[in-house]
Every structure is written in C-alpha cells, then in structure tokens.
Amino acid sequence: MPHFLDIHTTAPSDLRAMIDSAHAMKSARKGLPMAAPDQDQPLANRMVALIFEKPSTRTRVSFDVGVRQMGGQTMVLSGSEMQLGHGETIADTARVLSRYVDMIMIRTFEETVLHELAEYASVPVINGLTNRTHPCQIMADIQTYEEHRGPIAGRRVVWSGDGNNVCASFLHAAGQFGFDLVFTGPEALDPEPEFVALARGQGVQVDIIRDPVRAVEGADLVVTDTWVSMHDSQSNRERRHNLLRPYQVNDALMAHAKPDALFMHCLPAHREEEVTNSVMDGPQSVVFDEAENRLHAQKAVMRYCLGV
C-alpha cells in the first residue's frame, strides 16, 4: 500500500502529483475560514491516528486541521500514552491500530520505529518526522518555492548550517525533483554520505563548500534550521554554537545569493542565532507561507496514501 515514509522511496511522478494536488487544494480554499470544510470530502468517515513521541506545533495542528477539512476525524496519541515498543511491541501496536483507524501518522525519534510500524500495519503510515528525515516539511517547501518562483527543477538550493534530518530530506528531494544542492557547514555536521551519494546518483549536482559566502553565490533558495535540539545539553549547545556561528544567515550572506533568492526555515526559529530578524522578517523570507503549506502539502500526502 502507498505509505509515505521518505521522499526518495516515493516515485517522482507521485511526488509531482502530490505537489500539484496541494496547489489545487490551497487555491480552492482561498477566502474560506479555516474551519470551513473542503468542497471535496475525501476523508469522510475516516479515522486518522496522529502519534507524537516527539512534541510538535506545526505537525500536530496542520495534520489535525487537514484531516478535519477533508471530512475525517483524528485521534491524537502521545508517546507517554502509548509507550510504543515498551509495554507492547511496535509490530503488535501496528496490527492493533490497523483494526481501529484508516491511516497512521507518526512523529518519532528512531527511523526503525517508523519502518517497523509500516511493515506490520495494514493501513497507510506517514512519516511526520524522525531523527533522520522530515519528508512532509520538504513537500511543503517545494510547494512554497514553486508558488513564488515556478518549477524548482534546475534551481540551486543552498543549505547553511547543520546537515540534519531536514537537510537529509532536501537531498532526497534534489534527486527526485531535479534541483542542485549545496551544503555549507562545518565538517563535523556534514549530511550523511549515503544521502549525498543518492542525490548525485540521480544526476543532480551536490556540493559541499565550507565558505558560506562562496556557497550562496547564485543561490535561488537559501535554507537553514535551528542549531540545537531541545534535548541538547548546555555543553553541547555551546559547542554547536561555536561550530555554526560562521553559517548564520544574515543580510550580508543573503547579499551574495541571487537578488530574487528566497529564504526558508522550517521553524521554530531561534532568532539572531541561525538567522537574523532582518532576514526572517525581510522581503526574501517565505517562512510563514512555508508553515501554512504544511497543511496543504500534507493533505495531498494523505489523499495519495488513501488513493482518494
């Protein structure tokens, strides 16, 4: 069945269809209040389980609202309520939930939890985030870029900072959507070589450039993310700040990108750390369009998974 586990495991034609669907659903809702139902109700009489082992704002609200707009209902479950993989095996949890709900979205830590859940579930499973990847975010980012600048194929995307899970999904998307990607950051925080090799193997250019100024030259899109996780110790926070400070996205750095380059951040942002207020709130920033598009892109993902 069509799970949505990662961008590189989903066919490019299906990814393109989802982006087109997201654009269409967003356009159809123009002027409607958020609580108003979509004209089309593809999730009517459907129940979706939303599992959060990791806390969330955008993922929780956007999935919940999206299901409701399409006529479905949600059951929100936290990791503490379920003790996933502790009191009961993940495989058994997957089998049981499949008897109660029509689809499962999970935001978790370990990628193995996601894959085991998908292996044993008899309903579609969506990756809401793992420590390794964040595909739903990048679907929203692709949608956002294209609604502002047209097709992303052939463009130059620059990731500045930590080669984390969001960066990993950007690498997956580069190969599937046909854009080039430059990573600029400290060597200790490089993206996984496997993901770099995967994108290069699909014929796109992936460069690692330590000098951020040189990296952003000719960029169509500049992206960053937080430097520290909520789980990091104080000593690790200080170490990461020292490593990443040269890669802050500020006006001086953006001046070296194309004049019409966009800036993205998946949020939440630590303002004046990885990005300055002047960039975050400036004319090149589309971060709040990006946040909104989580709703529309994920609705398209859910429709794909259910074949509706």
Side-chain angles (χ1 to χ4, degrees):
M1 74 181 60
H3 299 302
F4 185 72
L5 304 183
D6 273 311
I7 287 176
H8 68 297
T9 59
T10 307
S13 58
D14 290 331
L15 294 170
R16 173 46 56 192
M18 283 184 256
I19 296 294
D20 292 344
S21 174
H23 286 308
M25 285 189 287
K26 182 176 183 178
S27 179
R29 287 197 60 84
K30 191 172 183 179
L32 290 177
M34 295 306 292
D38 289 355
Q39 185 174 6
D40 188 13
Q41 295 282 278
L43 266 62
N45 301 316
R46 307 268 192 161
M47 177 65 71
V48 181
L50 307 177
I51 303 173
F52 293 93
E53 287 201 294
K54 269 191 167 184
S56 166
T57 299
R58 276 151 296 279
T59 301
R60 176 167 179 165
V61 175
S62 56
F63 267 107
D64 199 346
V65 171
V67 171
R68 292 166 188 258
Q69 287 180 349
M70 293 191 291
Q73 298 182 62
T74 61
M75 179 181 297
V76 181
L77 302 165
S78 71
S80 60
E81 289 172 319
M82 299 187 66
Q83 302 210 345
L84 196 62
H86 299 292
E88 181 177 54
T89 67
I90 294 165
D92 285 352
T93 298
R95 294 181 180 108
V96 170
L97 283 178
S98 297
R99 303 295 181 100
Y100 299 146
V101 303
D102 299 287
M103 184 161 50
I104 301 167
M105 188 287 302
I106 183 167
R107 181 180 172 96
T108 188
F109 294 91
E110 298 303 322
E111 186 180 57
T112 54
V113 173
L114 169 75
H115 287 289
E116 188 171 353
L117 193 71
E119 181 180 354
Y120 290 96
S122 56
V123 298
V125 173
I126 296 171
N127 177 0
L129 174 142
T130 70
N131 285 347
R132 207 168 180 223
T133 62
H134 196 1
C136 287
Q137 178 63 56
I138 274 50
M139 294 297 285
D141 293 353
I142 301 295
Q143 179 188 355
T144 304
Y145 185 86
E146 293 195 340
E147 71 185 10
H148 283 273
R149 296 289 186 265
I152 197 167
R155 303 290 188 162
R156 179 181 173 92
V157 176
V158 177
W159 180 277
S160 182
D162 177 12
N164 63 10
N165 54 352
V166 185
C167 179
S169 286
F170 252 114
L171 282 164
H172 292 162
Q176 299 289 65
F177 286 95
F179 59 85
D180 297 331
L181 190 139
V182 178
F183 171 81
T184 185
E187 185 176 0
L189 298 176
D190 276 354
E192 292 186 41
E194 174 188 337
F195 297 154
V196 173
L198 182 69
R200 287 173 175 165
Q202 291 180 285
V204 297
Q205 185 170 340
V206 178
D207 295 317
I208 296 177
I209 300 175
R210 301 296 171 206
D211 178 358
V213 170
R214 191 163 68 86
V216 301
E217 290 175 356
D220 296 288
L221 171 63
V222 178
V223 194
T224 193
D225 196 1
T226 54
W227 290 347
V228 295
S229 164
M230 66 182 75
H231 306 288
D232 281 335
S233 65
Q234 185 59 37
S235 61
N236 194 45
R237 285 170 182 260
E238 292 173 2
R239 182 185 71 85
R240 290 173 68 86
H241 273 244
N242 290 335
L243 282 171
L244 289 161
R245 195 167 286 113
Y247 299 96
Q248 180 190 69
V249 181
N250 49 39
D251 289 324
L253 187 65
M254 289 298 294
H256 292 276
K258 286 183 178 178
D260 65 345
L262 298 179
F263 169 75
M264 290 189 189
H265 189 307
C266 67
L267 302 180
H270 295 173
R271 288 169 175 260
E272 298 301 322
E273 291 185 12
E274 71 272 7
V275 58
T276 58
N277 286 324
S278 58
V279 171
M280 183 89 167
D281 299 322
Q284 292 170 286
S285 173
V286 290
V287 296
F288 298 110
D289 290 343
E290 187 184 358
E292 177 190 344
N293 285 339
R294 288 288 301 276
L295 169 65
H296 308 295
Q298 288 163 185
K299 286 167 69 175
V301 169
M302 288 188 281
R303 294 191 70 158
Y304 159 76
C305 287
L306 289 172
V308 293

